[in-house]
C-alpha cells in the first residue's frame, strides 16, 4: 500500500479559489471512500477462476462421432461439479475448409455448414455455457437419432429466442465461422480428426473420451470437485488409445460428401 501525502494549501486570501477547490476535491474523495472500499473488498474476496482448466472441443455438427461424444461423453462435464473448474469452449468448424472464392466446404455437405454457423451463433448470443450446450446437445442428439429435421425444436428445449437466427441471417454466423476456421488452423499440432479435444493446450489425441481424467490432473486449485475425487493422479503415458475409425478424419482425400441429411431451414429463411 502506497501512502499519498497531500500538502494542505495555506489560508491565502490572495488565492481563495485554490483553497476552496482543494476542500471541494477532498470532500468528493471522502464521499468516494465507501465505494472504493467496496470495490477493493469485491476484488479481494471474489473467487479467482485463473486456475480453471480450459477444455476445448473442435468439432463439426454432422460428424456422428462428434455427436456421440457431445451427447454421451462431454455432457459429463456437468456432473459432480466438474464444470466449476472448467472453462468449456466449443468450436464448430472441424474439417471444413474455405475455398479460394471464400465459399465454405464442409465434410458432410452444405447442411453441416449451415448448422455449424447456427451453433456458432448460439454460442455467441447465449454465452452461458450451460445454455448453449443444451442447444448443441439437442441438435446432436437429433442427428444421432436421424431426426435432424426437427432441429428447430431445440430452440424451445434450450429456452432460446430468435437471436441465433438473427445472427445467422445477418451474415454474422459466417464471420464467426471464419474466426473458428482460423483458430482451428492454428492448432499445434494440427488436428488429425474430429472430435479433437484439447485440455490446457494439450491435445488428447485418440484418448479424448477420457477427458475428465485429464481435466482433474490438470487442475492445480484447492476446490477439487467431487467428479475428480475418484481420479488418481496418473501419467499421460498410461492413456489408452482408441481406434481411429471412431472419428471423422481430416484427410480430404475421398473424405468429403456432397449430400447431407435433409433439414428444415424455413425458420431461418422466413424468420
Amino acid at each position: 500500500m502506497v501512502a499519498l501525502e497531500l500538502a494542505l494549501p495555506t489560508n491565502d486570501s490572495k488565492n481563495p479559489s485554490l483553497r476552496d477547490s482543494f476542500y471541494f476535491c477532498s470532500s468528493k474523495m471522502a464521499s468516494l471512500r465507501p465505494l472504493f472500499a467496496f470495490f477493493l473488498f469485491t476484488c479481494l474476496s471474489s473467487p479467482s477462476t485463473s486456475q480453471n482448466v480450459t477444455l476445448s472441443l473442435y468439432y463439426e455438427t454432422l460428424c456422428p462421432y462428434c455427436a456421440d461424444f457431445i451427447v454421451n461423453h462431454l455432457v459429463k462435464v456437468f456432473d459432480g461439479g466438474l464444470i466449476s473448474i472448467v472453462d468449456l469452449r466449443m468450436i464448430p468448424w472441424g474439417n471444413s475448409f474455405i475455398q479460394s472464392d471464400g465459399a465454405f466446404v464442409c465434410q458432410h455437405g452444405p447442411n453441416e455448414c449451415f448448422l455449424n454457423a447456427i451453433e456458432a451463433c448460439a454460442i455467441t448470443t447465449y454465452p452461458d455455457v450451460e445454455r448453449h450446450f443444451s442447444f448443441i446437445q439437442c441438435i446432436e442428439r437429433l442427428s444421432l437419432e436421424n431426426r435432424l429435421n426437427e432441429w428447430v425444436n431445440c430452440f424451445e428445449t434450450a429456452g432460446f429466442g430468435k437471436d441465433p437466427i438473427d445472427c445467422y441471417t445477418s451474415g454474422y454466423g459466417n464471420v464467426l465461422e471464419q474466426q473458428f476456421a482460423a483458430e482451428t488452423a492454428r492448432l499445434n499440432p494440427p488436428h488429425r480428426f474430429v472430435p479433437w479435444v484439447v485440455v490446457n493446450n494439450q491435445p488428447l489425441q485418440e484418448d479424448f473420451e477420457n477427458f475428465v481424467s485429464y481435466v482433474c490432473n490438470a487442475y492445480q486449485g484447492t476446490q477439487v470437485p467431487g467428479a475428480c475425487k475418484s481420479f488418481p493422479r496418473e501419467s499421460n503415458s498410461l492413456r489408452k488409445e482408441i481406434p481411429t475409425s471412431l472419428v471423422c478424419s481430416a484427410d480430404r482425400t475421398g473424405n468429403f460428401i456432397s449430400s447431407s441429411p435433409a433439414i428444415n431451414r424455413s425458420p431461418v429463411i422466413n424468420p
Side-chain angles (χ1 to χ4, degrees):
M1 180 76 65
V2 177
L4 297 180
E5 186 175 318
L6 296 177
L8 183 66
T10 59
N11 188 6
D12 188 350
S13 60
K14 294 182 180 179
N15 194 6
S17 60
L18 177 62
R19 183 185 65 245
D20 294 342
S21 298
F22 175 83
Y23 284 116
F24 174 78
C25 292
S26 297
S27 63
K28 285 295 183 182
M29 290 176 65
S31 67
L32 292 174
R33 284 174 187 163
L35 181 61
F36 175 76
F38 174 77
F39 174 77
L40 183 62
F41 173 79
T42 302
C43 291
L44 294 177
S45 61
S46 297
S48 172
T49 59
S50 61
Q51 292 180 317
N52 274 17
V53 178
T54 299
L55 172 62
S56 302
L57 170 64
Y58 296 83
Y59 73 104
E60 55 196 26
T61 52
L62 296 185
C63 169
Y65 308 113
C66 292
D68 176 72
F69 177 69
I70 291 169
V71 172
N72 297 315
H73 300 279
L74 187 58
V75 69
K76 295 175 185 176
V77 77
F78 299 102
D79 294 341
L82 188 64
I83 192 64
S84 67
I85 65 167
V86 168
D87 293 329
L88 177 61
R89 301 181 63 252
M90 304 188 73
I91 302 91
W93 176 256
N95 299 326
S96 307
F97 64 93
I98 303 176
Q99 294 185 136
S100 58
D101 62 357
F104 296 169
V105 178
C106 297
Q107 189 166 28
H108 300 90
N111 284 337
E112 181 170 71
C113 290
F114 168 72
L115 288 175
N116 283 348
I118 287 290
E119 293 192 8
C121 281
I123 292 166
T124 302
T125 57
Y126 291 92
D128 180 82
V129 67
E130 294 193 41
R131 296 199 68 187
H132 65 243
F133 183 87
S134 67
F135 178 77
I136 292 170
Q137 184 189 33
C138 177
I139 290 180
E140 300 307 321
R141 185 183 298 279
L142 291 175
S143 178
L144 287 176
E145 297 172 352
N146 294 317
R147 297 165 51 208
L148 200 55
N149 207 41
E150 303 172 28
W151 75 274
V152 293
N153 296 335
C154 294
F155 286 94
E156 181 178 356
T157 299
F160 278 10
K162 59 179 295 189
D163 293 340
I165 292 178
D166 291 341
C167 166
Y168 178 84
T169 56
S170 72
Y172 191 57
N174 285 345
V175 173
L176 294 172
E177 282 295 275
Q178 289 173 339
Q179 294 173 0
F180 287 152
E183 178 179 341
T184 303
R186 290 193 300 267
L187 285 170
N188 186 21
H191 81 287
R192 295 184 289 109
F193 52 78
V194 290
W196 188 258
V197 180
V198 179
V199 172
N200 278 1
N201 297 317
Q202 176 192 4
L204 305 193
Q205 307 284 352
E206 285 82 4
D207 203 23
F208 55 87
E209 289 186 2
N210 195 31
F211 74 93
V212 175
S213 177
Y214 285 87
V215 167
C216 292
N217 281 306
Y219 180 60
Q220 300 297 315
T222 58
Q223 304 298 317
V224 179
C228 291
K229 293 180 180 177
S230 61
F231 284 92
R233 299 285 179 176
E234 60 183 21
S235 169
N236 291 340
S237 63
L238 299 178
R239 71 185 186 186
K240 178 182 66 175
E241 291 194 352
I242 64 172
T244 55
S245 60
L246 298 179
V247 299
C248 291
S249 173
D251 182 6
R252 298 180 189 174
T253 306
N255 197 35
F256 279 61
I257 63 175
S258 58
S259 62
S260 56
I263 61 174
N264 177 19
R265 296 196 192 187
S266 60
V268 176
I269 298 173
N270 303 297

